[in-house]
């Protein structure tokens, strides 16, 4: 069995979750925050048998979009800070597939 961690954009999370549920995959949704942009994102936990991992990844990929977000940061200049920004590409989804040693429902 595998546990898939998928970090998806908040705007994609509903569609990814609905599509996974429709395909009879169980999903746990966690609210999370990206360490770099400090913006909210969604982490999905999906436990599946090994032979179904590719089906899950395909659903996540199909429903996750790439986006450009604006990172705003101040640049120090003497005693002042000058506001600056740059564009950062986010997503589609960041996915980790890990092995599960034991799975119980009690
Ligand atoms: P954030 O950490 O907020 O990162 C948002 C986007 O900023 C990243 O998009 C990447 O394009 C860029 N970025 C991240 N760290 C950077 C850095 N140190 N220098 C320059 N640019 C940087 P994605 O790669 O698509 O990641 C989207 C979100 O997925 C991340 O949000 C984070 O929450 C998660 N993530 C990505 N890679 C991860 C990893 N290796 N481990 C844990 N979480 C990860």
């Amino acid at each position: 069995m595998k546990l898939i961690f998928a970090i998806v954009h908040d705007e994609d999370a509903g569609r990814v979750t609905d599509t996974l549920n429709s395909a009879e995959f169980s999903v746990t949704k966690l609210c999370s925050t990206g360490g770099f942009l400090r913006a909210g994102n969604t982490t999905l936990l999906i436990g599946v048998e090994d032979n179904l991992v590719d089906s899950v990844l395909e659903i996540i990929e199909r429903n996750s979009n790439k986006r450009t977000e604006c990172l705003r940061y101040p640049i120090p200049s003497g005693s002042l800070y000058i506001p600056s920004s740059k564009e950062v590409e986010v997503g589609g989804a960041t996915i980790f597939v890990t092995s599960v040693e034991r799975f119980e429902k009690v």
Side-chain angles (χ1 to χ4, degrees), residues 2-87:
K2 302 290 187 203
L3 178 60
I4 300 170
F5 293 78
I7 303 161
V8 300
H9 198 284
D10 280 347
E11 287 173 20
D12 296 332
R15 197 173 52 246
V16 172
T17 306
D18 289 349
T19 311
L20 286 168
N21 283 157
S22 303
E24 298 187 356
F25 293 111
S26 291
V27 181
T28 296
K29 257 174 97 173
L30 306 176
C31 295
S32 46
T33 304
F36 188 66
L37 292 180
R38 310 286 162 99
N41 54 28
T42 300
T43 300
L44 304 177
L45 307 185
I46 308 129
V48 284
E49 295 306 328
D50 292 20
N51 62 319
L52 294 173
V53 167
D54 287 344
S55 307
V56 170
L57 298 193
E58 198 256 327
I59 289 173
I60 297 169
E61 184 178 359
R62 202 161 14 96
N63 291 284
S64 300
N65 296 312
K66 282 194 196 315
R67 293 180 175 80
T68 303
E69 307 272 345
C70 187
L71 173 65
R72 295 181 196 284
Y73 55 97
I75 299 175
S77 167
S79 58
L80 300 173
Y81 284 90
I82 299 168
S84 187
S85 65
K86 71 173 176 183
E87 300 213 314

Side-chain angles (χ1 to χ4, degrees), residues 7 34-37 41 88-91 94 96:
I7 303 161
F36 188 66
L37 292 180
N41 54 28
V88 176
E89 186 175 86
V90 183
T94 299
F96 301 88

